[in-house]
Amino acid sequence: MTTYLTRALSTLALAAGLSVVSSSCTKDLNQVPSYSANAEVVYSDPAQILQVLARLYGTFAVSGQNGPAGSPDISGIDEGFSNYLRQYWQIQEVTTDEAVIGWNDGTLPNLNTLTWNADNEFVRATYDRIFYEVSLCNEFIRQTSDDKLSSRGVTGAGAEAVRTYRAEARLLRALSYWHAIDLFGGGPFATEKDAIGTTPPYRNRADMFTFVESELKDLDANGPLLAPRAVYARADKAVCWTLLTKLYLNAKVYTGTDRSTDALTYANKVLTQGGYSLCNTATASASAYQKLFLADNGQTDARNEVIFPITFDGQRTKTYGGMTYLVHAPVGRAVSPGSAGINGGWAGLRTKPNLTGLFGANTGPGDQRAALFVFKGQNPSVDTLGQFSSGPLVAKFRNVTSAGVQGSDASGDFADTDFPMFRLADVQLMYAEAVLRGGQGGNLATALGYVNGLRTRAGSNTVATIALNDILDERARELFWEGHRRTDLIRFGKYATGYNWPFKGNVRGGRDVDATRVLFPIPNSDRVANANLPQNPGY
Amino acid sequence: MADANGFFSLVFYLFPHPFQPYMKHSYLAKLRFLLLLLLSLSAALPAAWAQSGTGTVSGRVTDAKKEGLPGVTVLIEGTSLGSSTNADGTFTIGNVPAGERVLVISFVGYSGARQPITVVAGQTTTAAPQSLMENATALGEAVVIAYGTARRQDLTGAVEQISEKQFVKGQVTNPEQLVQGKVAGVQITTGGGQPGAGTTILIRGGSSLTASNAPLIVIDGVPVDNNGIAGASNPLTLINPNDIESISVLKDASSTAIYGVRASNGVIIVTTKKGLRGDATRVMVSTQASVANIVKYSDVLSADEFRALVKARGTTGQLATLGQANTDWQREIYRTAYTSDNNVSVSGSTGMLPYRISTGYLYQEGLLKRNDLKRYSGSLNLSPVLLDGALRIDANLRGSWIDNNFGAQGAVGSAVAFDPTQPVFAGANQGNPFGQTADQLRIYNGYTEFNNRDDKGVISLNPLSPRNPVALIDQRRDLSTVRRALGNALVTYKLPFLTGLSASLNVGFDNQRGRGAIYVPAGAGSDFNRQGINNQYSQDLNNRLLETYLKYDGVVGPGKLELLGGYSYQRFENRSYVFNDNRADGSVFVPVSLSYSNENTYLNTNVLLAYFGRLNYNIGDKYLFTATFRNDNTSRFAKGRQAGYFPSGAVAWRIKGEDFLKNSTAVSELKLRASYGQTGQQDLGGNYYPFLANLTQSQLTSQYQLGNTFYRTLRPDQYNDKITWETTTTYDLGLDYGFADGRVYGSVDVYQRDTKNLLNFVNIAALSGLSNAGTFNVGNLTNKGVEASLNVDLVKGDKLNISVNANATYNQNRLTKLTGSDSPNDVGQPTGGIAGGVGNNIQINTVGYSAQSFFVNQQVYGANGKPLEGVYVDRNGDGVINSSDRVRYKSARPDYIFGGGANMSYRGVNLAFTLRANVGNYVYNNVRSNAFYDQNTSGFVVNRNRDVLNSGFNSAQYFSDYYMENASFLRMENLTAGYDFGSLVGKGTNLRLSFAVQNLFVVTKYGGIDPEVQGGIDNTIYPRPRTFTVGLNLGI
């Protein structure tokens, strides 16, 4: 009897165990991590929405959420390499007469020689970064529509603030789309209206131009952007105007139509309504010009000249791209790490004699801009790509303050220096160029004044007259290594043919390259993933 | 899950403090841990069960020569009552229920026997002496398979079981080393020679690409987590190989598909040793002492060669850095390493309670100075049978405690690169390019390091130069403590209302705690600028299992039917803790970034829930049928995509069972098998929630400044809400054979494994997602292969016995689809990062080629046979050398894998060896590809592989096929000689002395230190030592 009872009870227990387990555990299949943020919660809170907006800015500076490396935004390339600013700078400078890079990493040498193909990982990283930023902006704009805000209970002052954030996201998206227009001609196109998962169509250069133009004009007219200089490093009205100026100044290249008059319209807005002024005071250890590129350029009067910086911080905004790259990579040989405020040089970036040759007789001996070149122990011409001794060195971006003190990262790895993406000097020179290109709404005397204003600030002599071609040279002198050169050379018709520099076209003396090199190829990686994309001619 | 709580609370009692400071434990604490582990369960159990109506059976088992056979298993059929024979072959089984019983006598390598006997209550019945014939095919041997065991002759799938007798001998400290080279189709590669090194196990070429290729490991019925824990390079290290009885490898889908979603890469079932009811108490003591030495050093320049090179090709600045010392850095960091492995086990049964208790202590030194591992392990197994044999319990509890002293693994690489003209300690012989004083040179705690000097004359550490290898070793304390408790209780109850029907409940857990700390003093060159390190890390893994199943055995129609149906629930919790990044003095260097929810922990959870079933049908031992089915559900995918269905089927025709072969001795076994089945894959490693549209908060070091405020940013992450299983379909055709009365036997298998919907990290169309790549179900791959095994008893005699075994595998891995489109622009996915430069990849995954094929430029050579720097074959003839000119060249995967060995015995002397070979595997010699003379370094010069003298390169030529080398090899894994003293110590005892050599020789053309490199990119590995071991085993 006892045996029977035991057996019966055991059977019951087993059966009970089975059924309890089956019913309770199916719910267990829905696991959600507590450490991660949920979209519904985040976009219901203006403070957290601002954290997402900060991320849209951060894409230009960092490479992932860990800093300096880890949790990367994009893949297919080393995370440090994948940084937006690093790639954009590299593709705008190393492919020109202003810079040469010595490293043998992957397909990097092909940038020096203008022999990249559609599988070049650095071309691809630039492309991927640009469209990554557009994707993030689209998602932000999608999540912050008025409908979504009210459905999530965001109203009043909170909603007002978010509307400004949303306008900034549209401006940042326009900025990246401009990069796509400039580098790749056209490309995939999507806005907040296209759901995630949709394979985007192709939009050509002119159509993409039209979109960016209309977005910027709408933001200028209706968008609740911040007033110029209201908050440091935010994309405000002046950033919108500067971008419009750049878009119109290059419109002939992009669309075939000269828009110099429109360029002047917006340059004038920056110059008259922006409230910017040139940094004109020197310190014991830094010239006024040098101060623009030092660790404290976000705090000193250098800040008065900067329209749109990418901000960095040695302790809080760490990356192996961005300013870390721009400060470390040119250091080596006669340029010591200590002078750059870092722990060691990467011995990679130098310049070419084409740039250093623009100074001297043209500027006089006191030009502070030329003082940033270092010839000591260097071969002044570029005879080999891989030798750091070949080519003048450039000590422009440094992680020391205007008082000569190393930046905030005691280990000397990461820089505090902000990158001036747009600054007043650039707008002044664009004004002069637009006038010389026949744009209406400006005058030659003011243009000459702007050019001489820069030369005087730099300790150079002044000029009595200026011609269009002088602007290209003056832009090189004032803005070298600031990521403008390729666009400038193309606008002046000197990129593919008619003007050469060492190793252009893969020969030491330089030679003309095919005219199709003014555009980069659409990376094969994306053409495999998206059948809508045609290839640019020549690739 | 309430039913499991009692069991878990024991473990939490053992691990009371998740934040217990790792440094404070002492030997006493460890002892307490082990004692608690062993005692808590034994104390919880009743001392004995008294039962009436039982008797005792005794007897003796001998070999053909009537000499007693020790270690033979004798079981009472239908119960778990049993014993194993003593040294003289006698056995006694107590508490046997009275009545007609059958003794089942089995012993590996011998044919078993069945002997009827009548047991009388209260008396001792002596069975007639039984002699066993040697029979290497051991067809009756029970093979451990999923959810049970099967007779080898009844198997329909490709299953191989390696038992204790066949294990690799000598210094084996990790379980997987027991079967290295023993099983066809299984490639086991250790990460290097360090104690507890991680191991890659690849069964039949691996069926996944981005997802894990690791097989599922099941320990005593508990499928364990593939994820390693912080502080242990290899989670299997936590299992003491001395506790393992057998390892089964399930290779085809018919045998694995019942494990469904975790079975695509094969299943390894580890069964541990257990006590037998009625067994007399046996104590086994074993002790091993080993000495290990380095076999080969990396071929770098000597100090004099280095000086000559720098003088010939260096810049003025570089010349100034040369020192006057002659230091062989590799000899400075390596040593002769000693290991001691001691194990004690007690097995037997008290009353009706069979038990086995074991404890082990391993102290293993690495070749690298200050690198060692200590493992304390304990296990307890109880397997009582209650209620007249109706209720069987099999309870296992094992615990281990590992203290890792990792040393400075970075020294392995820096010893190859550090300038040999510099002395270990700063001083007169040191290169002094900046004219520093003796005090200035000594600031790195007295060790030689390289410096920079700036224009103001300030001297600082050179961050780009290698660090002094000896300084690294002397000044890094990298310790971890990893504890693991693994236990389960399998309760099987024969249901009273239907004969042959039983119900089982298996409750198990696997808890691991990894704690570690790293200390580097301020002043050490490795972390000089941040003033040292004083950090800790911590991780917890809590895994739970609950399974229940019903099994029916019976005769239905013309054959025997076995039906199995069950339910399985597993929960894996992976919790890591985050800490401040501190300087040596404990001050904060980088503060901890708390999670979005402001916690200092991150918890990831994966739940698997499954229903499974199996049908076996055996008609006359001739026609065998198996069908299995599993429905799996995982929390890793979005609702609606969580369920996967995995069927399999197999048939076997046992020709031997047909009348015309039944009595043949020439053909002792012949069986044809065919199987088909599907298995799945969901293991994306650390990616637990790939479907979730969430935002990641940036850490404090990745903030962004707007105005004067720094923001921790929120990033919307790439996700794929449609992600689901990848599926592998396996076809297998096999033949099991045995000839010459079982003296020649083995099997041959041909297989094809097609994986579709690969969980693949692929590029996605720009603007269609939230990154440029993500994990999608895209792509297919195929593995095809042939496996064969052969065992031959060459000599079988009274005194002399020689047997040899061999296995061979051919596997071809092909990617058949990688993207959603068939675009001709697809060159493939670069992979295989190398050392040198940044972000350089040397391998590529391309459709039509093996995964991880090398992707290189074809080197052009000059008339003198030397490679021309930067000159490559212009494959597309466009006059430019870029990535379009690279070719896919070979793969790190071997085409053929061979394993084999022999056992010889003459009286008490025995000799055994194991050989392994890989053929057709290539290695990119990354040490050699960094051997160019670099004039760009300032303040230091890096030592190079001797090849720098041959190539004469001045710049890195990383993509040249000049650095590809055939790494086929033949390795003598193990050679063992032993002598059995028999009952030298006393009657009924057994004493064995053995001598073993591990890694005796390697035959290869490969130029690096070792041809066996995980992933096929050799950037110096921790050398695998040659180890000599003396072992003593005593059985009482």
Side-chain angles (χ1 to χ4, degrees):
Chain A
M1 183 61 204
T2 28
T3 316
Y4 177 77
L5 203 66
T6 324
R7 286 178 180 179
L9 283 175
S10 312
T11 318
L12 271 175
L14 264 177
L18 248 169
S19 55
V20 167
V21 165
S22 319
S23 58
S24 71
C25 293
T26 31
K27 286 182 208 128
D28 251 26
L29 284 170
N30 302 316
Q31 294 290 333
V32 175
S34 70
Y35 58 78
S36 190
N38 171 280
E40 284 302 320
V41 176
V42 167
Y43 292 109
S44 306
D45 174 8
Q48 292 186 55
I49 295 174
L50 180 56
Q51 285 178 273
V52 186
L53 178 73
R55 175 57 233 205
L56 305 186
Y57 287 96
T59 300
F60 295 99
V62 300
S63 59
Q65 291 301 74
N66 284 11
S71 187
D73 302 331
I74 64 169
S75 50
I77 190 162
D78 171 78
E79 187 185 334
F81 278 169
S82 81
N83 174 269
Y84 198 125
L85 177 57
R86 180 173 182 158
Q87 288 307 322
Y88 182 70
W89 186 95
Q90 198 163 266
I91 215 162
Q92 284 279 69
E93 295 288 353
V94 171
T95 64
T96 72
D97 57 348
E98 280 189 354
V100 57
I101 195 160
W103 302 323
N104 244 356
D105 296 318
T107 52
L108 191 57
N110 295 115
L111 295 186
N112 282 319
T113 55
L114 283 76
T115 54
W116 53 78
N117 60 14
D119 294 316
N120 188 291
E121 68 222 69
F122 298 92
V123 173
R124 181 193 166 194
T126 314
Y127 176 97
D128 285 351
R129 263 297 164 192
I130 289 169
F131 290 106
Y132 174 70
E133 173 69 358
V134 173
S135 299
L136 287 196
C137 292
N138 280 343
E139 170 71 2
F140 184 89
I141 298 162
R142 198 179 289 133
Q143 295 282 5
T144 52
S145 66
D146 286 344
D147 288 352
K148 289 237 173 174
L149 287 181
S150 59
S151 77
R152 287 174 177 142
V154 181
T155 54
E160 275 311 306
V162 175
R163 273 190 271 280
T164 299
Y165 304 158
R166 192 167 191 254
E168 290 172 64
R170 287 171 62 197
L171 178 49
L172 294 175
R173 178 174 68 182
L175 173 65
S176 282
Y177 265 129
W178 169 62
H179 287 159
I181 292 168
D182 191 66
L183 295 166
F184 298 97
F189 183 80
T191 68
E192 71 279 7
K193 297 183 185 76
D194 303 292
I196 282 180
T198 315
T199 303
Y202 178 78
R203 197 170 269 205
N204 68 26
R205 205 173 203 183
D207 290 346
M208 217 179 249
F209 180 96
T210 306
F211 171 77
V212 173
E213 180 189 16
S214 68
E215 276 287 284
L216 292 174
K217 288 181 82 163
D218 182 56
L219 285 170
D220 181 33
N222 311 310
L225 288 170
L226 296 175
R229 310 197 62 211
V231 182
Y232 183 65
R234 291 272 288 270
D236 54 27
K237 284 244 168 171
V239 175
C240 181
W241 299 331
T242 308
L243 187 51
L244 274 164
T245 312
K246 289 195 163 290
L247 194 71
Y248 286 130
L249 192 67
N250 291 288
K252 185 97 191 275
V253 174
Y254 301 152
T255 67
T257 309
D258 185 286
R259 303 284 292 272
S260 297
T261 299
D262 293 314
L264 271 175
T265 304
Y266 291 97
N268 275 325
K269 286 199 178 197
V270 179
L271 294 165
T272 58
Q273 299 173 39
Y276 298 97
S277 58
L278 292 182
C279 168
N280 257 320
T281 59
T283 65
S285 60
S287 68
Y289 179 77
Q290 170 76 88
K291 276 169 68 184
L292 290 164
F293 314 105
L294 296 182
D296 55 355
N297 62 353
Q299 283 105 51
T300 64
D301 54 352
R303 181 168 165 164
N304 300 336
E305 183 172 336
V306 174
I307 299 166
F308 188 49
I310 307 299
T311 63
F312 289 91
D313 185 86
Q315 296 181 80
R316 290 168 289 194
T317 311
K318 293 185 183 182
T319 171
Y320 289 114
M323 202 43 90
T324 306
Y325 163 73
L326 287 177
V327 172
H328 284 261
V331 171
R333 293 180 64 88
V335 178
S336 69
S339 68
I342 51 173
N343 57 21
W346 296 353
L349 291 169
R350 299 98 64 193
T351 188
K352 292 167 183 158
N354 308 58
L355 174 63
T356 53
L358 294 173
F359 294 88
N362 298 316
T363 55
D367 196 308
Q368 299 162 8
R369 301 171 299 190
L372 303 184
F373 301 124
V374 176
F375 295 92
K376 186 184 161 196
Q378 295 297 110
N379 175 353
S381 63
V382 177
D383 293 331
T384 56
L385 292 171
Q387 297 299 338
F388 193 64
S389 56
S390 192
L393 304 182
V394 179
K396 186 165 184 172
F397 299 106
R398 306 185 198 201
N399 182 38
V400 290
T401 66
S402 51
V405 180
Q406 179 178 322
S408 65
D409 176 18
S411 70
D413 284 318
F414 304 104
D416 288 342
T417 318
D418 297 343
F419 181 81
M421 185 176 267
F422 296 158
R423 63 182 173 101
L424 182 60
D426 180 17
V427 179
Q428 291 187 357
L429 287 169
M430 288 197 291
Y431 174 97
E433 184 178 334
V435 168
L436 289 165
R437 286 185 186 278
Q440 300 302 302
N443 64 73
L444 204 54
T446 310
L448 187 63
Y450 280 140
V451 171
N452 276 331
L454 296 175
R455 291 177 69 102
T456 306
R457 186 266 299 269
S460 166
N461 54 28
T462 57
V463 289
T465 59
I466 43 165
L468 186 58
N469 275 339
D470 297 335
I471 296 295
L472 180 65
D473 290 349
E474 198 59 41
R475 284 185 70 84
R477 283 187 283 263
E478 177 66 26
L479 302 167
F480 70 90
W481 280 38
E482 291 179 50
H484 304 288
R485 187 60 174 172
R486 180 189 146 277
T487 305
D488 290 349
L489 283 171
I490 290 171
R491 189 170 67 251
F492 280 87
K494 288 190 165 180
Y495 188 70
T497 56
Y499 170 60
N500 292 318
W501 53 84
F503 289 99
K504 180 183 168 188
N506 206 24
V507 296
R508 186 180 294 184
R511 67 174 178 200
D512 287 349
V513 296
D514 199 283
T516 55
R517 291 273 154 190
V518 297
L519 286 181
F520 289 97
I522 304 286
N524 275 339
S525 55
D526 205 30
R527 294 192 62 225
V528 169
N530 183 350
N532 299 329
L533 304 178
Q535 187 51 283
N536 284 329
Y539 293 101
Chain B
M1 299 305 298
D3 29 11
N5 279 345
F7 221 73
F8 298 134
S9 60
L10 166 69
V11 177
F12 292 124
Y13 171 65
L14 293 171
F15 295 120
H17 310 297
F19 279 108
Q20 181 180 358
Y22 87 103
M23 290 296 294
K24 290 196 177 151
H25 60 72
S26 63
Y27 284 88
L28 213 62
K30 284 162 197 167
L31 201 65
R32 192 182 61 193
F33 165 75
L34 290 177
L35 277 174
L36 274 174
L37 184 69
L38 295 178
L39 293 179
S40 43
L41 259 202
S42 22
L45 288 155
W49 283 280
Q51 201 174 346
S52 61
T54 63
T56 303
V57 178
S58 68
R60 183 166 186 256
V61 182
T62 63
D63 62 14
K65 292 163 284 173
K66 305 294 173 205
E67 288 177 3
L69 272 178
V72 176
T73 303
V74 183
L75 286 169
I76 307 291
E77 191 175 52
T79 71
S80 76
L81 289 168
S83 172
S84 54
T85 56
N86 290 329
D88 57 0
T90 59
F91 65 91
T92 305
I93 308 172
N95 298 316
V96 182
E100 297 296 322
R101 300 286 164 191
V102 177
L103 292 177
V104 179
I105 302 167
S106 61
F107 191 40
V108 173
Y110 290 80
S111 56
R114 291 161 59 82
Q115 189 177 7
I117 189 167
T118 306
V119 180
V120 182
Q123 290 187 20
T124 295
T125 312
T126 305
Q130 186 73 40
S131 69
L132 296 184
M133 302 297 288
E134 274 198 71
N135 174 9
T137 56
L139 287 171
E141 184 194 348
V143 175
V144 182
I145 58 167
Y147 304 105
T149 55
R151 287 190 302 170
R152 185 179 289 283
Q153 70 169 44
D154 291 347
L155 293 174
T156 57
V159 178
E160 227 165 316
Q161 176 168 303
I162 304 294
S163 301
E164 195 184 359
K165 204 179 165 190
Q166 298 133 282
F167 283 160
V168 173
K169 311 276 190 310
Q171 197 210 68
V172 170
T173 51
N174 290 351
E176 69 275 15
Q177 293 167 348
L178 293 169
V179 294
Q180 204 174 7
K182 295 288 185 186
V183 187
V186 180
Q187 186 188 358
I188 297 173
T189 314
T190 57
Q194 67 268 48
T199 305
T200 310
I201 305 175
L202 209 55
I203 297 180
R204 291 185 166 181
S207 63
S208 300
L209 199 61
T210 302
S212 167
N213 264 323
L216 171 66
I217 294 172
V218 181
I219 300 173
D220 285 332
V222 180
V224 298
D225 197 347
N226 269 337
N227 288 308
I229 183 156
S233 333
N234 182 353
L236 281 176
T237 307
L238 290 138
I239 306 296
N240 185 345
N242 284 286
D243 288 333
I244 296 175
E245 182 172 81
S246 72
I247 293 178
S248 282
V249 181
L250 318 184
K251 298 187 282 194
D252 72 330
S254 149
S255 52
T256 63
I258 196 160
Y259 287 114
V261 73
R262 300 177 69 194
S264 268
N265 287 294
V267 179
I268 293 178
I269 301 183
V270 177
T271 307
T272 61
K273 294 172 184 166
K274 292 167 177 51
L276 286 169
R277 189 167 166 192
D279 210 347
T281 303
R282 275 181 76 78
V283 179
M284 300 293 296
V285 180
S286 77
T287 180
Q288 284 190 342
S290 307
V291 55
N293 282 303
I294 192 164
V295 183
K296 194 176 176 185
Y297 293 97
S298 193
D299 188 19
V300 292
L301 300 181
S302 71
D304 288 338
E305 291 170 315
F306 184 77
R307 262 186 288 268
L309 177 73
V310 176
K311 279 174 187 157
R313 293 165 70 182
T315 63
T316 322
Q318 289 179 333
L319 265 170
T321 67
L322 286 176
Q324 290 89 48
N326 294 296
T327 308
D328 185 330
W329 291 102
Q330 293 185 76
R331 283 179 168 78
E332 294 291 335
I333 62 163
Y334 296 124
R335 62 174 173 185
T336 297
Y338 297 93
T339 293
S340 147
D341 190 1
N342 303 288
N343 293 280
V344 180
S345 70
V346 183
S347 63
S349 90
T350 54
M352 289 165 49
L353 180 65
Y355 64 88
R356 182 177 184 275
I357 298 178
S358 76
T359 181
Y361 170 69
L362 168 74
Y363 170 71
Q364 187 181 6
E365 289 183 347
L367 288 179
L368 189 69
K369 287 177 181 170
R370 295 172 64 120
N371 172 211
D372 57 64
L373 174 153
K374 294 187 194 83
R375 178 177 65 206
Y376 309 81
S377 61
S379 78
L380 173 69
N381 167 265
L382 300 167
S383 36
V385 179
L386 307 169
L387 305 177
D388 285 339
L391 185 67
R392 302 180 53 158
I393 298 171
D394 191 0
N396 299 290
L397 179 64
R398 61 190 61 257
S400 55
W401 177 313
I402 287 192
D403 288 334
N404 274 303
N405 180 7
F406 289 108
Q409 307 273 329
V412 172
S414 64
V416 170
F418 205 83
D419 179 348
T421 70
Q422 308 296 340
V424 173
F425 296 102
N429 284 332
Q430 185 183 354
N432 191 356
F434 308 124
Q436 292 169 270
T437 64
D439 282 347
Q440 287 169 335
L441 290 174
R442 275 198 290 269
I443 64 162
Y444 305 113
N445 295 340
Y447 293 93
T448 305
E449 297 284 2
F450 292 104
N451 290 310
N452 274 326
R453 181 182 187 276
D454 75 7
D455 39 3
K456 292 176 195 142
V458 177
I459 294 181
S460 59
L461 184 83
N462 192 321
L464 295 181
S465 65
R467 295 274 77 88
N468 184 327
V470 177
L472 288 173
I473 285 181
D474 290 353
Q475 301 182 94
R476 183 182 178 88
R477 194 174 69 209
D478 188 345
L479 304 174
S480 79
T481 292
V482 183
R483 290 168 294 166
R484 183 176 198 171
L486 174 70
N488 74 310
L490 172 63
V491 182
T492 302
Y493 181 61
K494 283 186 190 163
L495 295 171
F497 46 81
L498 181 59
T499 312
L501 185 65
S502 64
S504 299
L505 176 70
N506 189 9
V507 185
F509 71 93
D510 179 7
N511 288 357
Q512 298 183 65
R513 298 286 178 273
R515 305 281 179 270
I518 297 166
Y519 178 80
V520 177
S526 61
D527 298 279
F528 189 80
N529 290 326
R530 52 165 293 165
Q531 295 164 282
I533 301 177
N534 188 355
N535 283 346
Q536 57 176 320
Y537 57 87
S538 185
Q539 189 187 9
D540 296 348
L541 297 180
N542 288 332
N543 303 333
R544 286 149 199 219
L545 168 76
L546 188 143
E547 279 181 336
T548 128
Y549 50 89
L550 285 170
K551 206 179 218 173
Y552 173 74
D553 275 299
V555 178
V556 176
K560 283 186 288 182
L561 176 72
E562 187 209 289
L563 269 177
L564 174 80
Y567 163 86
S568 163
Y569 169 90
Q570 258 191 296
R571 181 186 183 92
F572 302 89
E573 289 180 355
N574 184 337
R575 183 187 289 277
S576 52
Y577 301 84
V578 289
F579 299 92
N580 287 328
D581 181 7
N582 296 325
R583 300 185 188 90
D585 63 6
S587 63
V588 177
F589 179 64
V590 179
V592 63
S593 298
L594 296 179
S595 73
Y596 175 74
S597 46
N598 277 322
E599 293 168 291
N600 68 340
T601 84
Y602 289 75
L603 173 66
N604 285 304
T605 308
N606 181 206
V607 172
L608 293 171
L609 196 153
Y611 300 90
F612 56 88
R614 179 172 63 203
L615 176 153
N616 283 319
Y617 197 56
N618 175 344
I619 304 174
D621 283 346
K622 285 186 285 192
Y623 310 108
L624 309 164
F625 303 90
T626 303
T628 72
F629 181 77
R630 184 168 178 123
N631 158 232
D632 249 315
N633 299 271
T634 175
S635 64
R636 220 180 268 263
F637 304 132
K639 232 177 179 172
R641 296 178 189 276
Q642 291 172 329
Y645 304 93
F646 305 99
S648 85
V651 291
W653 177 29
R654 191 164 170 269
I655 308 167
K656 172 67 181 173
E658 298 287 352
D659 289 344
F660 62 94
L661 278 182
K662 219 168 202 165
N663 299 313
S664 164
T665 50
V667 179
S668 51
E669 174 64 341
L670 201 58
K671 182 168 69 182
L672 269 175
R673 300 179 268 109
S675 75
Y676 156 88
Q678 289 191 327
T679 49
Q681 174 65 282
Q682 58 99 37
D683 189 357
L684 286 162
N687 193 354
Y688 283 79
Y689 314 99
F691 64 92
L692 214 53
N694 269 10
L695 295 93
T696 294
Q697 183 171 244
S698 73
Q699 302 206 346
L700 293 171
T701 46
S702 189
Q703 302 182 81
Y704 194 76
Q705 178 189 6
L706 294 171
N708 294 319
T709 311
F710 282 85
Y711 294 91
R712 285 185 75 177
T713 69
L714 285 166
R715 176 185 70 186
D717 292 328
Q718 168 64 27
Y719 64 94
N720 175 5
D721 54 7
K722 297 184 178 64
I723 196 163
T724 189
W725 317 102
E726 73 181 37
T727 308
T728 300
T729 306
T730 304
Y731 307 87
D732 189 290
L733 209 57
L735 172 76
D736 296 336
Y737 63 87
F739 302 113
D741 204 9
R743 287 180 63 169
V744 177
Y745 66 97
S747 56
V748 180
D749 278 85
V750 182
Y751 62 85
Q752 175 162 345
R753 288 148 56 74
D754 298 325
T755 307
K756 65 173 202 291
N757 296 330
L758 273 174
L759 285 170
N760 196 356
F761 192 73
V762 291
N763 299 328
I764 56 179
L767 300 183
S768 72
L770 291 165
S771 182
N772 63 342
T775 305
F776 285 78
N777 291 100
V778 175
N780 303 333
L781 66 78
T782 291
N783 283 284
K784 290 178 193 171
V786 183
E787 292 164 3
S789 68
L790 172 69
N791 301 271
V792 183
D793 292 323
L794 278 181
V795 179
K796 230 172 155 176
D798 282 353
K799 293 170 184 164
L800 180 68
N801 282 284
I802 302 177
S803 68
V804 297
N805 62 80
N807 66 74
T809 308
Y810 167 78
N811 187 71
Q812 187 200 57
N813 175 280
R814 282 286 175 274
L815 298 167
T816 50
K817 187 177 169 67
L818 277 178
T819 64
S821 74
D822 296 314
S823 167
N825 297 312
D826 187 18
V827 294
Q829 304 166 343
T831 179
I834 62 169
V838 180
N840 288 318
N841 290 306
I842 199 70
Q843 295 169 332
I844 197 161
N845 291 329
T846 323
V847 170
Y849 294 86
S850 166
Q852 290 114 30
S853 291
F854 292 101
F855 193 45
V856 289
N857 281 317
Q858 289 176 294
Q859 182 68 50
V860 173
Y861 295 84
N864 58 0
K866 294 203 169 183
L868 297 171
E869 181 163 352
V871 185
Y872 300 104
V873 176
D874 184 6
R875 298 276 303 178
N876 61 4
D878 64 355
V880 172
I881 299 297
N882 55 26
S883 65
S884 309
D885 299 301
R886 285 192 215 157
V887 291
R888 285 154 194 89
Y889 179 75
K890 304 290 186 184
S891 151
R893 290 160 182 257
D895 298 324
Y896 301 92
I897 305 171
F898 300 99
N903 283 285
M904 282 156 272
S905 63
Y906 181 75
R907 291 178 183 272
V909 182
N910 53 64
L911 190 69
F913 65 84
T914 306
L915 284 165
R916 293 192 295 120
N918 285 3
V919 175
N921 51 312
Y922 277 68
V923 165
Y924 174 77
N925 192 332
N926 203 179
V927 180
R928 212 152 59 76
S929 71
N930 273 313
F932 58 94
Y933 194 87
D934 186 359
Q935 292 192 325
N936 288 336
T937 65
S938 86
F940 69 98
V941 186
V942 170
N943 198 3
R944 304 291 186 184
N945 182 278
R946 194 173 307 281
D947 188 61
V948 69
L949 303 176
N950 179 54
S951 73
F953 288 171
N954 286 304
S955 60
Q957 302 297 323
Y958 292 123
F959 300 102
S960 172
D961 66 0
Y962 176 60
Y963 301 118
M964 295 303 313
E965 295 187 39
N966 187 335
S968 301
F969 68 88
L970 170 72
R971 186 191 298 273
M972 178 161 266
E973 187 68 37
N974 168 260
L975 175 70
T976 313
Y979 185 75
D980 271 309
F981 291 96
S983 46
L984 184 74
V985 183
K987 191 170 159 26
T989 67
N990 187 38
L991 180 70
R992 181 182 146 83
L993 178 71
S994 63
F995 175 76
V997 191
Q998 229 80 13
N999 193 23
L1000 186 58
F1001 62 80
V1002 181
V1003 180
T1004 183
K1005 283 188 201 161
Y1006 181 68
I1009 63 168
D1010 199 312
E1012 214 172 345
V1013 182
Q1014 281 181 348
I1017 296 167
D1018 179 11
N1019 176 36
T1020 67
I1021 64 167
Y1022 191 122
R1024 295 190 180 92
R1026 181 178 297 140
T1027 309
F1028 300 88
T1029 305
V1030 178
L1032 200 63
N1033 290 55
L1034 178 65
I1036 303 166

